[in-house]
Amino acid sequence: MDDDGTRGVRGPSADRAPGPAVPPPPAHPPRVPHPATGTHPADPYPGDRNQADRHPGPPAEQWRAGSASAPPVEQPAPGAPVDAWLRTPRPQQEPGVWRYGYTPPPPEESERVSDRSLLVGALIALLSALLLWSLWRNGYLPYRLVPLKLFTPGEWWNPGTSGGPRTIEGSDALTVYEAILFGLLAYGCGRIGNFSELFRRHVAERGQPFLALAAATAAGLTQLLVWKETLPVVRPVLVLVASVAGGEIYQSQTVVNVIYGLIAAAVLWPFARLGRWRELIAARRGTSADTPADTAAPATTTSADQWPELRAAGWPDAADTLTAEVRTGRMNDVDVARLRHAWHLATRRADRLGALAESVLRTGGAAALHPSGHRDLPRRTARHDVLTGQVRIGRCADDPHNPYVRRGTGLALDPALLGTSLLAVGPPGAGKSARLVRPVVEALALRALAGQAAVLAVGGAGEPLGPDEAFDVVVRVGHPGSAHDIDLYGGTTDPDEAAAVLAEGLVGDVGSLDSRRAATVLAQLLGPYRAAHGHFPSVPELRELLDGTPAAFAGLRASLEAAGHHAMLRELDARSRQAGGPGDPAPALADRVALLDRPTFAGFFATAQDARPFELRALGQHPLRVRVDLPERGHAEASRLLTRLLLAQFTAITAARTDTSLFVCLVLDDATHAVTAETVRGIRRLRSVNAGAVLALRTVDDVPEALHTPLLGAVGCTAAFSGITTWDGKRFAEAWGKEWVETREVAQHTVFADQPFTRALHALRKLVTGKAVTTDAVTVRQVERERWSASELAYAVPAGHAVIRLANVEGEHAPPLLVHLDG
């Protein structure tokens, strides 16, 4: 990159290139800090080094005074080493899912039983079990011994169905029989009373140490009941042991103590499992119950930190060097993404592999640096996963509109989504700039440092799009200290192409004018002027030509005649004949050019050989980070004109490039009156050339009404922020379409009982459920409804939220999701 497409600069920085030369590798490369240190993840010198030593540029006070002061976010994860971050799984998911460390949600639960019904049901089951056991022990249940007598000798029992045991063997058999029946009764009571759900909801969900303490209390109470023989456990065990080993075994006190100890342990074991005592003890000791203390469990079983692509290509030394850099923290996430991309590009040309490998052996993680020499941004305000290019902008809310599998999951944007372009609509203060535009610009800037993208961010002066140090080129239109200008003609030398793009920027928003006629008028002037002078006219000269000033026309004609450009003379004569005719767009063009011919812009938009402004065409060739600050205060119309011109130039230039390996994105923080019919058609073509656009609007009415439907159809991603009007909500609802849903209509009718017993049952049921006894008439239908209605978008979206619909360039899409923005 000799000049990065800037063709020179102006102002006090005119004697230096926009990006510094590649510096030598630092002694301490960037590392990911522990969150307790409070340093930035890109900080290569944590602790005792100066901020001025780490990042050249204005001091931190100037940055805080000039832009938003959101707290920095640790990357790639708080306190995590780069090797663990690199090995963290990133499973393929639906568009927009934050893939870093993603875990699927548990299966959706059925309708939750109320706590009142659960408690009353458990109490009724317990009282019923106690009543049955009392009736059994007191002999009130007939034929209770019949099943036992069928499987035991008759001489053990007294005559009759109710006769008790006659011998010791019969008494022992009855003891075991009662213990078995008690176990079955306890199991049935637990299942009918749903004691497991009661334990999970009111004990287990509270976590430790409450879970362990509750289990210990229950274990102590159970031990007391067991040893007082309230619960039939000890005597049946002793009987079974005696029947198997013989009664002589109890002559040894040691054997008896062992049996008692086993009974106590058997009673404690289920409570220890329920209370998770082992895990609690291990946590108190600082070790894992299943993993040794000196063994760190890997994030995944893959060997991504071993750089297998380098080893497969026959460069194990380079792979070992990078592995050591990662393990010791001398590389950050941007270094990993940059080197992976550089190696991927080098594999396409075998002659580059050796040079890249040697550079890795010599400089380690500082190989293949970005031309600016930067290895990270000076400040991050959002969570980024540079390996996948994702930036997390929020979390899907737990709302019925969202599918269950998306509730609570992170929502992220990546180049595959931005390649379909994004339209964000919301009133001022809704968070478009801070929570969406700024994170997207950061993500694209990080991807540019990795050599995979180029970004052009356009906004008003002072808008929170990032500090100057985060960009390679900063254009401050109208600011005397700006080092760069804007090329009104997009860096082209073709008069027809320059005229077409300039016409869109000047009068593309005027519905009464045909932009093709305006382009013809401009071409009739730009072609002759360039033929005569070797460059396009400056703003004052173009204004004079459009106004039809005789002196300007005479001077141009003389120059053409002297050079012998007869074809261009015919173009100029045609413009002279058409000037002043009905429908001539020249006056309107002159009025728009006059907006740029102001003292504030004196010296800007120059076209002479020594001016050399920044060329937008360089974005498609180099991974540049460019920011354009527009003078919205006092020059609102000029700012809108320039925004419209940049959008037209971007769509035209990206569509014409042949090498589409670099993702290029335009971010307009305010696209008011910037969208025209031609740019809408250009936005549709962006996804096929690996490019995209992010447009932020206060309302859809900032776009001509005839373009509302085409614009919403041209972009694949749309975001409706809280506070939009019902008119805007209606347009989004129509664009998102409808879906088939199953509706259940329930008609409840109260049941009136006539019999006393039925009334008693109804009263018991009302006590359990808290509701009167009714019969339900259910009607199930399939109906088609809007995913989000206009009223819901206008009034049901909370502050700090947005409804976002995403689609990627492969055609996959996600339904509109209610997202809590935390970008």
Side-chain angles (χ1 to χ4, degrees), residues 361-422:
L361 292 173
R362 185 175 63 256
T363 62
L369 275 178
H370 186 266
S372 66
H374 296 165
R375 300 173 66 175
D376 202 350
L377 298 180
R379 184 181 180 87
R380 300 189 191 183
T381 60
R383 289 197 63 186
H384 300 271
D385 185 18
V386 188
L387 205 60
T388 59
Q390 287 190 316
V391 53
R392 180 183 171 116
I393 63 172
R395 174 181 51 83
C396 295
D398 186 6
D399 187 85
H401 286 92
N402 294 342
Y404 172 76
V405 295
R406 298 300 297 268
R407 299 175 190 173
T409 61
L411 190 88
L413 297 176
D414 56 54
L417 298 172
L418 297 177
T420 65
S421 298
L422 169 65

Side-chain angles (χ1 to χ4, degrees), residues 51 227 307 354 388 473 506 517 541 575 582 627 694 718 743:
Q51 179 69 21
W227 296 113
W307 300 86
T388 59
V473 177
L506 293 177
R517 291 194 60 187
E541 293 168 335
R575 173 83 289 267
R627 193 189 76 204
V694 178
T718 49
T743 61

